[in-house]
Amino acid sequence: MSTAVLGLPPACLMLGAQQSATVANPASGASPDLLPHFQLEPEDVYIVKNKAVSLACRATPATQIYFKCNGEWVHQGDHVMQHSTDRSTGLPVMEVRIEVTRQQVEKIFGLEEYWCQCVAWSSSGTTKSQKAFVRIAYLRKNFEQEPTAREVSIEQGIVLPCRPPEGIPPAEVEWLRNEELVDPALDANVYVTPEHSLVLRQARLADTANYTCVAKNIVARRRSSSAAIIVYAAPGAEDVALYVGLVAVAVCLVLLLLVGVLVYCRKKGGLDADVADSSILTAGFQPVSIKPSKAGFLAVGTMPWHYGCLFCATDNPSLLTIQPDLSTTTMTYQGSLCPRQDGPAKLQLPNGHLLSPLGAGRHTLHHSSPSTEGADFVARLSTQSYFRSLPRGTNNMAYGTFNFLGGRLMIPNTGISLLIPPDAIPRGKIYEVYLTLHKQEEVRLPLAGCQTLLSPIVSCGPPGVLLTRPAILAMGHCVEASAENWSIRLKKQSCEGTWEDVLQLGAEPCTELYYCQLEAQACYVFTEQLGRFALVGESLSMAASKRLKLALFAPATCPSLEYNIRVYCLSDTQDVLKEVIQLEKQLGGQLIGAPRVLHFKDSYHNLRLSIHDMPSSLWKSKLLASYQEIPFYHIWSGLQPFLHCTFTLERLSTSTCELACKIWVWQVEGDGQSFTVNFNIAKDTRFSDWLVPDNEVATPALVGPSAFKIPFLIRQKIISSLDPPGTRGADWRTLAQKLNLDSHLSFFASKSSPTAMILNLWEARHFPNGNLSQLAAAVAEVGKQDGALFAVSEAEC
């Protein structure tokens, strides 16, 4: 390439081809001191975002000075020159600057690194400066390795790994403990390895905290997920011996009491052992499995009794729990208490949502125990005669281990869940909690008069445990509720096995232990005592109605001429539809139409079903009557969950695969629904999406922060700000109004933290698909009434 093309000055043209020689060999007779030497050389720089960078150099004595980048001369017009004279020597000084843009660097990205250097001329020859490398700075978002939560005994060593995100320049790493900088120079028990891991030589109780790895360079600052480290003392040998002795004495006393009661009952009634055992102890309450710990707690397995009146009478929650051995706890959670964000240090609600940037935090589904442990749990219960009615297999039960961090249990595809708020379980306690679904024939819920079962029958336990804040049990219902048409009650099974009304919806609660929020298709029961619950209604007028779910099933294959269509009339709750789908899968049936909803009124009229418009040349019905009926009381009671009618059809040829007909379902003097059936009986699977997956997990449990959408520290900030009465009305009452919960103010006000009750209800209603920005908007509206109400710093997150 010619120098003319490069745009070099005339002096460069005169030097011509001898440039390279003069670098190493000065002109003959010239003093080496007259070669240019650099007073300022270009240095390595980083391009941040899209800002151009400047390179400069200065040389004396110099008659010409230019930049060369990646072996090519920079155009003359891109140089900014400055001439001066060195005052001490009187020699000429030249300084030059150029700018390098991101586009120039990206142009050769991947081929080699972008570099520039200065070349200075004097009458004696030329001198080259050092190379300066220009790099585009960045810092990836995702850490290559993040610290994880751990529970360790005192004096045990802890290593928290951290591999920062890839970046140029490489990120510097620092550690935060509860948002305060960890300085190894001030704490000899702490040091950071060259690989950026934080090491605690000997864990102390004071080291219990949330630890966060922070990576930063000139571009950005990134935070890892916080890792909760819990340090606990292992009891000494003397404590173990004491615990063993106390448990042994308690077991002996209980066994003696049981033997005495059994002997008494045999003498009095002449009952055999199994009947006597079942009659004395209350059926329908779960045991608690006390697991052995590495510290030496006595292993007593599953207690061979259940918590009926015996434990209710003593009211001793310590019998249901053990002191935690945190080294063996199956408590698992993932996700930061405050998700990572690179925003400004202060976040003011009037200018932006408090919760809107927090949706990026990871909320991962975990199981507090493997499905096999849930199956073992059921197997243990099945061996006890008085627990025969409790579970219906692991598909209808959830089971997990919880502590003060709280969490939730869910029975998949049923709409049934149990929310355990933070601090509902006392600190230092660990509970094995279950949630299970029942059939009516298992628990014998009595109904009187025109009463009807409106919800599934659900147990959560173990009963008798101490909860310091209400848990929230969510379950579906099938009632079209209105105050003038219904009297609805929440029923709970007592220690003696009888069902009692604990709450009448719409009336002032007579106790602070229970409360129920009834919505269109679900109810949310606040309870401080776990147990067995059901929602029962009594109609006050013939306008009262229940929702029925109508579903059509037929065989997936038809080897014979006969073909059956089954029409199910179900209570409109998710759990019943799930049961029917599972039943039909076992029978080889397939769903042949989307389920429909029918409003069934308390009019004493039966439900009728008929089939019409079949092509007579291809099919005929074997039904003798024009319609079939299901009696009113069979449907209204809600105690027979799988009511259905079967239409038996016959095709006139084995080659007939297409079925087209219309099925009507209606209540006399009431509403009706029609199904237009048109499908291929050999291969139609359009409604397979309604089927429950075969690989459905059996015991899903979310433990700790991952069970909640609202980050823990933000939740605490809202509670502390809104619980005290606001002078401008900016308190929890306004938040309840914004969320349309102002009809429940008296219940919220009865609790120590009304705001916590509101947020807990929001979590129960909106998990897992709730819109956090809507809650943030409601909180922001409250904050506008007091501009300084919410000021959240990065340190608080």
Side-chain angles (χ1 to χ4, degrees):
M1 182 179 295
S2 67
T3 54
V5 174
L6 296 175
L8 296 179
C12 294
L13 295 176
M14 291 188 293
L15 289 172
Q18 72 178 16
Q19 292 175 3
S20 60
T22 57
V23 175
N25 301 306
S28 177
S31 170
D33 292 340
L34 297 180
L35 283 173
H37 68 273
F38 286 94
Q39 298 177 336
L40 175 66
E41 296 188 71
E43 297 180 347
D44 295 348
V45 290
Y46 297 95
I47 294 178
V48 179
K49 297 183 179 179
N50 293 316
K51 295 180 180 179
V53 295
S54 178
L55 297 177
C57 63
R58 184 171 61 247
T60 184
T63 57
Q64 296 287 343
I65 185 168
Y66 288 96
F67 269 98
K68 177 186 284 189
C69 294
N70 283 77
E72 299 286 341
W73 293 105
V74 178
H75 195 279
Q76 181 179 358
D78 294 333
H79 292 75
V80 177
M81 298 285 189
Q82 184 175 351
H83 299 265
S84 61
T85 302
D86 191 318
R87 294 182 179 180
S88 61
T89 63
L91 296 175
V93 177
M94 292 195 69
E95 184 174 343
V96 65
R97 292 181 181 272
I98 64 169
E99 285 195 344
V100 179
T101 65
R102 184 186 184 100
Q103 290 75 15
Q104 292 173 266
V105 177
E106 288 178 337
K107 189 175 182 181
I108 65 161
F109 180 77
L111 302 176
E112 57 179 314
E113 287 193 297
Y114 193 96
W115 58 266
C116 295
Q117 67 178 163
C118 268
V119 181
W121 284 265
S122 72
S123 58
S124 300
T126 62
T127 305
K128 294 181 180 179
S129 72
Q130 66 183 10
K131 288 183 178 180
F133 290 89
V134 182
R135 300 179 177 92
I136 298 176
Y138 67 91
L139 184 61
R140 306 283 188 211
K141 290 186 177 181
N142 296 326
F143 280 71
E144 296 183 6
Q145 186 178 13
E146 295 186 278
T148 55
R150 293 186 58 190
E151 296 173 351
V152 298
S153 61
I154 196 168
E155 296 185 353
Q156 181 180 339
I158 304 176
V159 178
L160 292 174
C162 177
R163 292 173 59 192
E166 177 189 351
I168 293 180
E172 299 177 357
V173 171
E174 63 185 20
W175 283 88
L176 302 180
R177 173 165 46 199
N178 288 344
E179 304 305 324
E180 294 184 359
L181 183 65
V182 175
D183 188 355
L186 302 178
D187 189 348
N189 192 48
V190 177
Y191 70 93
V192 179
T193 68
E195 295 78 24
H196 309 300
S197 297
L198 180 66
V199 178
L200 304 180
R201 291 184 173 89
Q202 290 184 319
R204 304 158 299 192
L205 293 178
D207 291 324
T208 297
N210 291 318
Y211 290 82
T212 309
C213 181
V214 179
K216 59 182 179 180
N217 67 3
I218 60 175
V219 177
R221 185 174 186 266
R222 312 287 189 203
R223 294 167 56 98
S224 73
S225 298
S226 295
I229 300 298
I230 300 177
V231 182
Y232 62 91
E238 298 83 0
D239 297 328
V240 173
L242 177 61
Y243 295 152
V244 170
L246 290 175
V247 173
V249 171
V251 170
C252 292
L253 289 176
V254 172
L255 290 176
L256 289 173
L257 179 61
L258 289 176
V259 171
V261 173
L262 289 173
V263 171
Y264 171 78
C265 288
R266 286 184 181 180
K267 290 181 178 180
K268 185 174 181 179
L271 302 177
D272 61 63
D274 187 65
V275 175
D277 178 74
S278 299
S279 64
I280 295 168
L281 301 176
T282 304
F285 290 93
Q286 295 250 21
V288 170
S289 172
I290 301 182
K291 298 182 178 179
S293 72
K294 295 178 182 178
F297 288 112
L298 177 65
V300 297
T302 302
M303 295 184 181
W305 58 82
H306 55 79
Y307 306 120
C309 299
L310 179 63
F311 281 4
C312 289
T314 58
D315 193 22
N316 188 354
S318 65
L319 294 175
L320 306 177
T321 62
I322 57 173
Q323 290 300 315
D325 175 15
L326 296 178
S327 63
T328 59
T329 301
T330 55
M331 178 180 64
T332 305
Y333 63 89
Q334 184 175 358
S336 59
L337 294 179
C338 188
R340 293 162 287 177
Q341 55 184 344
D342 298 317
K346 288 286 184 179
L347 181 64
Q348 295 288 345
L349 265 181
N351 299 323
H353 293 328
L354 178 64
L355 303 176
S356 57
L358 302 178
R362 293 182 296 167
H363 297 281
T364 307
L365 182 66
H366 293 279
H367 302 288
S368 62
S369 57
S371 59
T372 55
E373 185 173 345
D376 292 341
F377 183 66
V378 175
R380 294 199 304 270
L381 295 178
S382 63
T383 62
Q384 309 294 333
S385 61
Y386 40 83
F387 286 120
R388 289 173 186 162
S389 67
L390 185 58
R392 291 183 288 168
T394 55
N395 282 337
N396 292 297
M397 185 184 71
Y399 168 72
T401 305
F402 299 87
N403 63 5
F404 72 94
L405 293 173
R408 72 177 71 223
L409 291 172
M410 298 170 288
I411 303 179
N413 300 301
T414 64
I416 297 172
S417 65
L418 178 68
L419 178 75
I420 304 173
D423 288 323
I425 296 176
R427 293 176 181 255
K429 300 287 186 181
I430 293 179
Y431 295 158
E432 289 185 336
V433 181
Y434 65 82
L435 179 67
T436 189
L437 181 61
H438 296 275
K439 294 179 181 177
Q440 159 63 16
E441 59 266 26
E442 294 172 345
V443 294
R444 302 295 180 186
L445 171 65
L447 296 178
C450 295
Q451 288 184 338
T452 174
L453 180 63
L454 301 175
S455 75
I457 303 174
V458 180
S459 285
C460 54
V465 300
L466 173 65
L467 292 180
T468 57
R469 287 172 174 77
I472 300 180
L473 175 64
M475 54 187 179
H477 67 77
C478 61
V479 62
E480 290 294 309
S482 57
E484 64 275 12
N485 295 332
W486 283 99
S487 172
I488 302 175
R489 289 176 169 83
L490 178 68
K491 285 184 174 287
K492 182 175 183 289
Q493 195 173 35
S494 68
C495 300
E496 293 78 17
T498 59
W499 287 88
E500 301 174 344
D501 294 340
V502 295
L503 183 68
Q504 181 175 355
L505 276 64
E508 283 295 324
C510 57
T511 173
E512 296 181 0
L513 294 177
Y514 308 100
Y515 190 79
C516 185
Q517 158 80 1
L518 187 70
E519 298 190 351
Q521 294 185 327
C523 63
Y524 301 90
V525 178
F526 290 78
T527 175
E528 295 182 16
Q529 293 184 353
L530 303 183
R532 183 169 297 158
F533 297 90
L535 205 63
V536 172
E538 185 171 1
S539 63
L540 301 179
S541 73
M542 296 180 65
S545 66
K546 293 175 57 174
R547 293 190 314 275
L548 299 184
K549 183 79 77 176
L550 307 177
L552 274 61
F553 288 86
T557 59
C558 183
S560 65
L561 294 177
E562 191 172 277
Y563 196 72
N564 295 323
I565 296 179
R566 291 179 290 275
V567 183
Y568 285 85
C569 304
L570 315 169
S571 295
D572 186 17
T573 56
Q574 292 184 44
D575 61 292
V576 180
L577 182 60
K578 172 190 173 182
E579 289 270 8
V580 170
I581 290 175
Q582 290 175 337
L583 175 63
E584 282 292 330
K585 288 178 68 176
Q586 297 173 5
L587 298 175
Q590 65 173 338
L591 191 66
I592 62 172
R596 307 283 182 86
V597 173
L598 173 71
H599 292 86
F600 190 75
K601 294 185 178 180
D602 183 18
S603 62
Y604 302 98
H605 292 292
N606 299 339
L607 191 69
R608 292 182 176 179
L609 304 93
S610 62
I611 188 167
H612 307 274
D613 301 339
M614 270 192 311
S616 58
S617 60
L618 301 175
W619 295 85
K620 70 175 182 178
S621 172
K622 303 183 79 172
L623 183 68
L624 298 179
S626 59
Y627 60 83
Q628 300 185 70
E629 276 192 340
I630 301 178
F632 169 82
Y633 285 107
H634 290 183
I635 297 176
W636 188 254
S637 69
L639 300 181
Q640 301 183 42
F642 306 139
L643 290 171
H644 68 278
C645 284
T646 300
F647 291 95
T648 302
L649 311 179
E650 183 178 3
R651 51 182 176 166
L652 303 182
S653 170
T654 55
S655 62
T656 300
C657 292
E658 296 290 333
L659 174 61
C661 63
K662 183 172 290 187
I663 295 178
W664 283 91
V665 184
W666 77 101
Q667 186 181 19
V668 180
E669 299 181 7
D671 296 333
Q673 281 284 359
S674 66
F675 290 81
T676 300
V677 178
N678 191 344
F679 76 111
N680 188 307
I681 65 176
K683 58 182 179 182
D684 197 332
T685 58
R686 286 175 296 165
F687 301 99
S688 59
D689 290 341
W690 287 85
L691 302 181
V692 180
D694 291 329
N695 59 349
E696 175 186 290
V697 292
T699 56
L702 287 169
V703 181
S706 57
F708 307 95
K709 291 184 68 68
I710 307 171
F712 180 81
L713 294 180
I714 295 297
R715 167 193 167 93
Q716 296 304 106
K717 179 68 176 179
I718 297 174
I719 291 173
S720 62
S721 300
L722 296 186
D723 270 352
T727 55
R728 303 178 184 177
D731 57 19
W732 63 269
R733 294 174 178 82
T734 306
L735 178 61
Q737 293 171 356
K738 300 294 181 184
L739 298 177
N740 297 320
L741 299 174
D742 46 338
S743 60
H744 312 291
L745 294 182
S746 59
F747 169 71
F748 298 146
S750 68
K751 300 302 176 183
S752 59
S753 175
T755 310
M757 295 298 103
I758 296 173
L759 298 182
N760 292 343
L761 179 57
W762 187 93
E763 291 276 10
R765 295 168 70 194
H766 295 90
F767 191 89
N769 301 317
N771 190 340
L772 207 58
S773 63
Q774 292 180 352
L775 175 62
V779 177
E781 287 293 322
V782 179
K784 286 181 180 178
Q785 300 183 31
D786 186 351
L789 189 60
F790 299 106
V792 182
S793 68
E794 186 176 4
E796 290 178 296
C797 288

